[in-house]
Each structure stands twice: as C-alpha cells, then as structure tokens.
Amino acid sequence: MIRVLLAEDMRILREALAGLLRLEADLDVVAEVEHGDAIVPAALEHRPDVAVIDIQLPGMDGLDAAARLRERLPSCRALILTAIGRPANLRRGIAAEVAGFMLKDAGPDELVSAIRTVAAGGRVLDPQLAYAALGAAGSPLSEREADVLRLTARGATPREVAGQLHLTYGTVRNYLASAVTKLHARNRVDAIRIATEAGWL
C-alpha cells in the first residue's frame, strides 16, 4: 500500500484528488493539508511514502516545503503539481531533489501512474515542462545587472544598491536602465518580474 499526503489549498480540488486516489486499491490517502507550513508536521505524524504538493500554497510554497520535507523525512518523496511550467521552478525543484513534476491539467491516470513511479523510487517529469526548461534561453543580463535587479527586488533604493555594491548612484541607474532594455520590459518592476519568472535572479 502506498501512503499518500495531499497538499492543495483549494478544498474542492483537494477533496476531488483524495476521492480519486482512494479508488485505487494500492493507494491510501493518509493526510490532507491546505497550507505549506502543515506539510512537514503532517508527514512526520502520518509517515507517507509520497507527498503530492501543489506548488502555490499559502504560508510556505510547495517547493520550499518539499525541500524541508526532504530534510526531515527523506523516505517521503515529493511529487509537485503546477499550473504553470516555469523553468525557474523546475530548477528549484531539482535543487530540492523532488521526485517529480506534473502539470495540473494531466489526466487522472497520469497522476496515479506518477505516484506509483515515484513511490517505487523513480522520477517523473511532464514532457511539456521538460521542453519548456530545455527551450529557456540563457539570461541576457550581465552579472552586475542581475545583482542590481536582485537587490532592487528586495526593496533597496538605487542609492542603497549603490552603497551595497560599492557603485555610484548613476552607475546603478544605468544598470537598471540597461536591464529594462535587455528584457524588453516596461519599467524596472516589469524587469524584475520577467527576470524572476525566468529564473535569472
């Protein structure tokens, strides 16, 4: 029997998934949680073999929770569900040693098969996600442009960025302007969004 933990914040979807999995003779849903922070405590209590985790959860996101789960309960393997295939998330998942990535629009049979594969020690990667990751272009940003955008994303003003990176205020403004241009962004906020979603920061 494969013991499964479900982490999904939308109640109707969580209950539908649980109902679907309980129809399988070899699957037992032992825990259902709606917050990322609840994953590790529930896993330590119920000792699942596989945790099916939505990537976007309140509290702690699914990838951070999967990384923490890996540290606290290595025997439980994480299968991430995502609605959007971002290469940056795939890279974070690989770093967290998740066992699988599936798109939420996958069929029920595919999910059940993925859980069995992951429980058996295998890995699962949705082909669409793999293709998106392989097709993702490298960053057009220089190392300094990325540094400036990263600090700006954390809320630092251009003057604060200049102080932290030992640059002049004008140089920081130039780096921000060139990053906006290279990313074909509307402004620095848009540039931060584009670079973050692409996994360049």
Side-chain angles (χ1 to χ4, degrees):
M1 185 68 74
I2 299 169
R3 296 168 62 82
V4 180
L5 177 149
L6 277 179
E8 165 60 57
D9 63 323
M10 291 178 61
R11 181 178 175 186
I12 192 167
L13 181 53
R14 184 175 67 251
E15 291 183 359
L17 282 172
L20 169 79
L21 297 180
R22 287 188 175 112
L23 294 174
E24 302 296 323
D26 60 336
L27 302 183
D28 183 18
V29 179
V30 296
E32 299 175 43
V33 300
E34 58 184 317
H35 293 278
D37 300 324
I39 291 174
V40 171
L44 291 172
E45 179 182 350
H46 297 282
R47 302 285 165 165
D49 302 301
V50 177
V52 178
I53 303 172
D54 182 11
I55 203 167
Q56 293 183 316
L57 291 171
M60 179 186 300
D61 80 19
L63 289 173
D64 288 339
R68 193 162 295 181
L69 182 61
R70 172 88 180 152
E71 293 170 6
R72 299 292 304 280
L73 190 65
S75 61
C76 179
R77 308 191 76 218
L79 175 61
I80 301 294
L81 294 181
T82 180
I84 305 168
R86 292 181 177 150
N89 287 338
L90 191 56
R91 285 192 287 273
R92 280 180 62 208
I94 290 168
E97 297 183 51
V98 302
F101 262 93
M102 300 232 12
L103 286 172
K104 277 188 170 183
D105 63 359
D109 291 346
E110 292 174 273
L111 176 60
V112 169
S113 175
I115 290 171
R116 290 179 179 138
T117 298
V118 165
R123 293 188 179 274
V124 175
L125 178 59
D126 185 285
Q128 291 180 54
L129 290 174
Y131 185 78
L134 289 171
S139 175
L141 301 172
S142 70
E143 188 175 336
R144 269 304 191 206
E145 288 165 344
D147 289 341
V148 167
L149 271 189
R150 195 175 295 113
L151 289 172
T152 304
R154 292 177 188 158
T157 66
R159 289 200 186 281
E160 290 168 340
V161 172
Q164 290 181 53
L165 297 180
H166 308 291
L167 300 170
T168 66
Y169 172 73
T171 300
V172 168
R173 287 181 58 87
N174 288 341
Y175 278 134
L176 285 170
S178 63
V180 167
T181 300
K182 285 183 179 180
L183 297 177
H184 307 288
R186 294 184 301 276
N187 51 43
R188 68 181 66 162
V189 173
D190 193 35
I192 289 167
R193 178 191 62 77
I194 292 168
T196 301
E197 288 181 0
W200 297 330
L201 295 186

